[in-house]
Amino acid sequence: MDLFEYQGKEFFASYNMPTSDGVAVTSVDAAVEAATQLGTPVMVKAQVHTGGRGKAGGVKFAADLDAVCTHATNILGLNIRGHIVEHLWIEKASDIAEEYYASFTLDRSAKKHLGMLSAEGGVEIEAVAERNPDAIAKIWVDPVTGLDAQQCRQWVLAAKLNPEVTDQTVDLLLKLYRAYTDGDADLVEINPLIVTPSGKVHVLDAKVTLDANADFRQNLAPYDVTQPRDAREAAAHAKGLQYVGLEGSVGLIANGAGLAMSTVDVVNQVGGQPANFLDIGGGADADVMTGAMEVINNDPNVKAIFINIFGGITRCDEVANGIIEAVKRVHITSPIVIRLDGTNSAIAWKLLDPYLGDRLILSSTMLEGARLAVDLAKGNSR
């Protein structure tokens, strides 16, 4: 779950990290009002879940209210790498003496947390790594023992930052690590982490990705409502489904992320284009299956549906009941190919038998089912 910059700063501020005053707005009038409240000069910053805002014209300095109005007008509605700007962050402008980079994420291969720190901030860390990899000081933190002040100090010294702000930087990095671990984050990044002319270390930008599975601990609802979703994804999310919209014509339903990804691959392999990734989970019942069918059916690009279920925890008869219920409840516009294997599959086949025909077809294997669904999506008859 990616956060907007202003949400990331609110997240950091909750861990007592120094951030700039600002106001999130969605209109030009609100931007001017926010700038009036904060006092100019301010920064007018597009809020999108992607990088490259500055290069795209999404970050502007405004010396007065007229400039705020002009920049807010130009930035709202701007397309930045496929993301349309609907939110702005009006932030009190900061004076900058130095710019650093700092982040924590998970190094899966090492099974440890990875911290990166560089005196070359304000640019993409990938560019720094390519141009001068020695400019990035790295630290691997055992999640069991955590990061202590001594380790952190050695890390800061290795990054060759301004020695006059070593104590402040150590303090901030320890807070950043706590935000990363206690906040159930997958990534926390500050770029740039600045030093002001008066010698204060300060968070000037924030990139935060949280683990959506930690909602039961963290209450992520305020962040969830600002996640970018198209109409299909919003409908699926409302039903609690793991769904990602794609551009093809074969609607896919599978149980388990691994099988769902394999189904996407197999459809591609046999010459088709998946319309989505949809994982109904390991214990899906008839209600979940019905919801999935409704979401797929509402996609106008779908010309055929492939349901690929391997019953382990999931009972195939429950899935069959869901398919039958969906067919009764919703006018399904596309032919449906069904592959059911595993727990109670024989019972499921018997349940489905009275409904089989040209529009509801059983397949014995995943590969055969994918081929048939692709043919149907292309308008080929059985």
Side-chain angles (χ1 to χ4, degrees):
M1 180 178 290
D2 294 328
L3 306 193
F4 285 136
E5 174 195 355
Y6 79 87
Q7 294 171 323
K9 287 180 173 175
E10 291 170 353
F11 176 75
F12 286 158
S14 70
Y15 290 91
N16 298 316
M17 297 164 64
T19 60
S20 302
D21 291 336
V23 180
V25 301
T26 57
S27 70
V28 174
D29 289 344
V32 173
E33 181 179 345
T36 303
Q37 171 188 329
L38 294 167
T40 53
V42 297
M43 300 299 297
V44 181
K45 309 178 81 173
Q47 300 297 286
V48 287
H49 293 101
T50 187
R53 295 178 300 167
K55 293 179 182 178
V59 178
K60 295 292 185 180
F61 174 80
D64 52 41
L65 295 181
D66 287 340
V68 172
C69 182
T70 298
H71 294 323
T73 301
N74 292 337
I75 295 174
L76 280 171
L78 186 66
N79 186 327
I80 301 178
R81 296 182 177 180
H83 296 256
I84 305 301
V85 179
E86 298 178 351
H87 298 78
L88 298 175
W89 176 239
I90 311 301
E91 179 179 273
K92 187 70 177 175
S94 299
D95 293 324
I96 303 171
E98 299 179 62
E99 294 182 324
Y100 304 149
Y101 172 94
S103 71
F104 285 102
T105 190
L106 177 64
D107 184 339
R108 296 183 183 276
S109 61
K111 299 181 180 178
K112 292 182 178 181
H113 299 309
L114 169 63
M116 293 192 291
L117 183 64
S118 177
E120 297 188 20
V123 296
E124 294 181 358
I125 195 63
E126 294 83 3
V128 177
E130 183 176 347
R131 183 184 68 254
N132 185 14
D134 292 337
I136 304 173
K138 298 180 180 179
I139 186 172
W140 282 265
V141 183
D142 188 324
V144 175
T145 56
L147 178 66
D148 61 33
Q150 183 178 355
Q151 289 175 299
C152 194
R153 182 172 294 274
Q154 292 301 315
W155 180 34
V156 171
L157 294 175
K160 300 178 181 178
L161 309 184
N162 185 340
E164 294 183 4
V165 296
T166 296
D167 290 344
Q168 289 185 66
T169 307
V170 169
D171 180 68
L172 186 141
L173 290 173
L174 289 171
K175 291 174 179 176
L176 182 64
Y177 181 77
R178 180 168 167 254
Y180 169 67
T181 54
D182 291 1
D184 286 303
D186 293 328
L187 169 70
V188 291
E189 179 182 277
I190 306 172
N191 189 24
L193 172 65
I194 68 166
V195 180
T196 68
S198 61
K200 300 295 184 182
V201 174
H202 189 82
V203 175
L204 197 61
D205 200 357
K207 183 176 181 180
V208 177
T209 301
L210 300 179
D211 183 353
N213 294 312
D215 182 58
F216 71 99
R217 269 198 301 263
Q218 303 293 345
N219 182 24
L220 303 179
Y223 306 133
D224 183 74
V225 296
T226 57
Q227 294 302 296
R229 299 185 179 98
D230 63 23
R232 300 172 301 168
E233 291 168 338
H237 182 72
K239 296 179 183 295
L241 299 170
Q242 300 299 315
Y243 177 99
V244 178
L246 302 173
E247 301 300 324
S249 59
V250 181
L252 303 181
I253 300 173
N255 63 316
L259 183 58
M261 288 187 286
S262 296
T263 307
V264 168
D265 290 342
V266 168
V267 167
N268 276 311
Q269 178 185 333
V270 298
Q273 292 185 307
N276 63 274
F277 164 101
L278 201 165
D279 168 21
I280 60 173
D285 57 17
D287 287 339
V288 172
M289 189 66 221
T290 302
M293 292 281 286
E294 289 175 344
V295 169
I296 296 291
N297 187 62
N298 288 335
D299 184 345
N301 293 324
V302 169
K303 306 303 179 185
I305 300 171
F306 180 31
I307 301 173
N308 186 22
I309 302 296
F310 183 82
I313 299 173
T314 302
R315 291 170 43 191
C316 291
D317 55 321
E318 285 280 3
V319 173
N321 284 326
I323 295 170
I324 293 167
E325 183 63 28
V327 170
K328 290 179 179 178
R329 186 187 303 177
V330 183
H331 175 60
I332 305 294
T333 57
S334 304
I336 304 168
V337 180
I338 309 164
R339 178 253 182 165
L340 289 170
D341 198 5
T343 305
N344 291 353
S345 59
I347 298 173
W349 299 337
K350 289 181 181 179
L351 290 170
L352 288 169
D353 187 66
Y355 301 91
L356 299 180
D358 290 338
R359 307 290 291 177
L360 196 64
I361 307 157
L362 273 180
S363 176
S364 58
T365 69
M366 177 175 170
L367 185 59
E368 176 190 282
R371 282 179 176 149
L372 181 53
V374 169
D375 284 343
L376 291 169
K378 292 179 178 179
N380 299 330
S381 58
R382 295 178 60 189

